[in-house]
Amino acid sequence: MTPRRRRGVWSAIAVAATAIVLGVATTALLAASGAFRTPAPASWRAQSTRCGAPAVKGTVVDVSVGDMGRMMRGPNRPAPSNSRTGWYGMGMMRLVARPAAVPAGRVTLRVVNAGSLTHEVIVLPLPTGRAAGERAVGPDGRVSEAGSLGEASRSCGSGAGGGIVSGAAAWTTVTLRPGRYELLCNLPGHYAAGMHTELDVTR
């Protein structure tokens, strides 16, 4: 290595080391000043509603719904909104049901919203030859609810309502015949973002 090239390498190393030292010093100064202890903006904080579904007899399916709302925005980006169709068009939401198969009869869905946005769970029969997530989404970001057998969308309550807020639970009891069903969230853009799963009902 020539002396000129050696000097260039040492200069680059010195600049990198200086940047690291300045970064560590700045972080330490901010931590000491308490800058990291200030509360997050109100739009970042989940609503404080907390409740649980009541104990029920018979078959129970526990459903967890959620999103990555807080992780996808920063101080200079707008908060996600349930009114913005397709805001989460890249599958950043989830709906998980356990167990995924239950016997026919009365089934209670207990739903917990682990996300930062409002959600719901609707029960629809799944047509033969179709998989969960294949329903046509309209221009309003929703799918048709024709044939719905019930829904859990009342925060801290049973049946239909205005949606399940962050941190809350909801529940509904439906009677299901043997077959395939789809559980989904039908708020604008949520279905297309991945909020659907199959529930199989056996004899």
Side-chain angles (χ1 to χ4, degrees):
M1 182 181 290
T2 66
R4 175 179 277 171
R5 180 173 277 182
R6 195 173 298 130
R7 279 194 301 270
V9 169
W10 282 112
S11 295
I13 292 172
V15 169
T18 302
I20 290 171
V21 169
L22 287 174
V24 170
T26 302
T27 303
L29 182 62
L30 288 171
S33 70
F36 296 141
R37 291 191 294 268
T38 58
S43 62
W44 291 23
R45 296 193 295 270
Q47 297 186 35
S48 59
T49 303
R50 302 279 184 221
C51 58
V56 295
K57 294 181 180 178
T59 304
V60 175
V61 175
D62 288 311
V63 182
S64 174
V65 296
D67 54 77
M68 296 181 68
R70 284 182 225 134
M71 295 174 63
M72 295 182 64
R73 65 185 191 269
N76 298 319
R77 297 179 63 188
S81 167
N82 278 320
S83 64
R84 292 187 185 182
T85 303
W87 178 271
Y88 285 105
M90 299 190 306
M92 302 307 290
M93 295 187 178
R94 64 177 171 73
L95 188 155
V96 179
R98 288 193 174 84
V102 294
R106 288 175 60 82
V107 177
T108 298
L109 303 179
R110 294 189 304 204
V111 185
V112 173
N113 183 355
S116 61
L117 297 176
T118 299
H119 296 292
E120 66 183 7
V121 174
I122 299 191
V123 184
L124 290 170
L126 199 52
T128 303
R130 301 285 294 276
E134 294 183 349
R135 295 178 189 272
V137 178
D140 61 352
R142 300 173 187 256
V143 300
S144 170
E145 293 183 16
S148 171
L149 300 172
E151 69 180 89
S153 59
R154 180 185 306 276
S155 291
C156 303
S158 175
I164 310 166
V165 299
S166 176
W171 54 93
T172 190
T173 300
V174 294
T175 301
L176 301 178
R177 296 179 178 177
R180 298 166 59 238
Y181 297 86
E182 186 170 18
L183 308 181
L184 60 93
C185 179
N186 205 24
L187 294 179
H190 292 204
Y191 183 80
M195 295 200 73
H196 48 72
T197 194
E198 181 173 332
L199 177 67
D200 296 326
V201 177
T202 60
R203 294 186 182 279

